[in-house]
Amino acid sequence: MGEIATPEPKPGELRIRVKAAGVNFADTLMVRGTYQAKPAFPFVPGMELAGTIDALGQGVKGFSVHQRVLATVEHGAFAEYVIARAADCAPIPGSMDDATAATFPIVYGTAHAGLDWRAGLKRAETLLVLGAAGGVGLAAVEVGRAMGARIIAAARGLERCALAQAHGADVTVDYAQDDLREAVKKFTGGEGVNVVFDPVGGDIADIALRCLAWEGRHVVVGFAAGRVPQIPANILLIKNIAAIGLFWGAYRKRNPERLAASIDALLSMWERGALKPLVSERFKLAQAGEALARLSQRQAKGKIAIEID
Ligand SMILES: NC(=O)c1ccc[n+]([C@@H]2O[C@H](COP(=O)([O-])OP(=O)(O)OC[C@H]3O[C@@H](n4cnc5c(N)ncnc54)[C@H](OP(=O)(O)O)[C@@H]3O)[C@@H](O)[C@H]2O)c1
């Protein structure tokens, strides 16, 4: 580890004094050099944060110095200062604490984009969420619930299942013990689910694909289990199933306005009490390695924050 100079904002950018940063599974991949984006080493990890604006680049409108904002960045959030594009920042509601704000945009943004934009989840449809006690999984349970879906939350162990239930799942399946396909059949009267939200991949993804109903949608979100599933085309054909990819971060380049509108809408939902983010653990900046290990060792529940004094 070493020190780096405080960065200067370019036109359209903000410098933020970071108060807290969110930890994501993607950070664990990026520090190993196995994520799709591969910054040159050494680099500062961390993709989301909350703090106060410290300096404004030329031409930035709608923000002011000392204002509290949350932001997403390609990397660099585990630091005292960060540069973010104004387009990737949003004002923090007054009563939202820094750790909650810092851990909010990626998981809720991903859940919203996956369920609404990509899967077109409709009210009263049935949604199966894999890894439902993890960061993006728990957010998908809450967003799916807010969209009026019936939720089956699948996770490893009773404690993690109970957490997903407390955040809005109608039923839970402990996939370390129980047969996921049988449990889905039982809950859906043999029909299967309309949408699978899948941040896990691996063997459980293979099973989840076979839990889909006629015209079901399988949203491929991530591969926390380590294996990228190979989707058999015959399964898609037989039941008119769609396998749909989601790379939320790509919208930061391709359509930042759409992302900003999504985050605003999600923050409004939080203000109305429709979302209940869980920050289960908080670490200091010097403990960032321990925080990352909680995710790579499959121990994190909801979100983990790094707090910066
Ligand atoms: N596509 C996108 O735009 C996007 C955006 C955000 C995140 N993601 C991806 O979504 C996945 C989850 O991210 P996250 O930040 O929510 O991570 P997380 O909080 O660590 O959640 C991952 C979940 O996956 C399950 N899991 C199964 N096997 C695992 C293993 N071998 N190691 C670790 N976890 C395992 C765990 O639940 P159980 O132990 O209960 O099975 C865990 O709760 C990652 O692959 C990430 O890259 C994608």
Side-chain angles (χ1 to χ4, degrees), residues 219-301:
V219 188
V220 177
V221 180
F223 315 111
R227 180 175 67 80
V228 176
Q230 303 300 303
I231 293 176
N234 60 323
I235 303 277
L236 305 186
L237 184 149
I238 299 268
K239 285 198 273 179
N240 283 24
I241 286 170
I244 304 171
L246 169 68
F247 180 12
W248 180 85
Y251 288 98
R252 293 181 64 249
K253 275 203 183 108
R254 290 174 179 272
N255 198 341
E257 297 79 14
R258 192 176 194 193
L259 275 197
S262 165
I263 298 297
D264 282 352
L266 290 160
L267 286 170
S268 299
M269 285 167 69
W270 178 85
E271 284 184 293
R272 291 198 303 275
L275 304 176
K276 305 272 184 211
L278 171 68
V279 181
S280 62
E281 292 179 85
R282 294 158 193 248
F283 289 84
K284 293 188 186 312
L285 185 54
Q287 301 171 307
E290 282 172 57
L292 289 170
R294 299 289 290 161
L295 277 78
S296 48
Q297 292 167 3
R298 209 174 170 178
Q299 296 304 318
K301 295 188 196 113

Side-chain angles (χ1 to χ4, degrees), residues 31-103:
V31 298
R32 289 197 197 111
T34 55
Y35 190 60
Q36 53 255 43
K38 294 182 177 54
F41 288 97
F43 69 93
V44 178
M47 298 172 155
E48 58 183 352
L49 62 120
T52 52
I53 298 177
D54 174 67
L56 297 173
Q58 233 180 17
V60 171
K61 301 235 176 345
F63 291 101
S64 53
V65 171
H66 303 310
Q67 187 180 6
R68 294 178 71 226
V69 287
L70 58 77
T72 59
V73 291
E74 282 180 16
H75 61 85
F78 298 174
E80 291 163 309
Y81 292 92
V82 74
I83 300 289
R85 299 186 312 178
D88 298 329
C89 298
I92 301 173
S95 53
M96 184 183 255
D97 66 75
D98 292 326
T100 302
T103 54

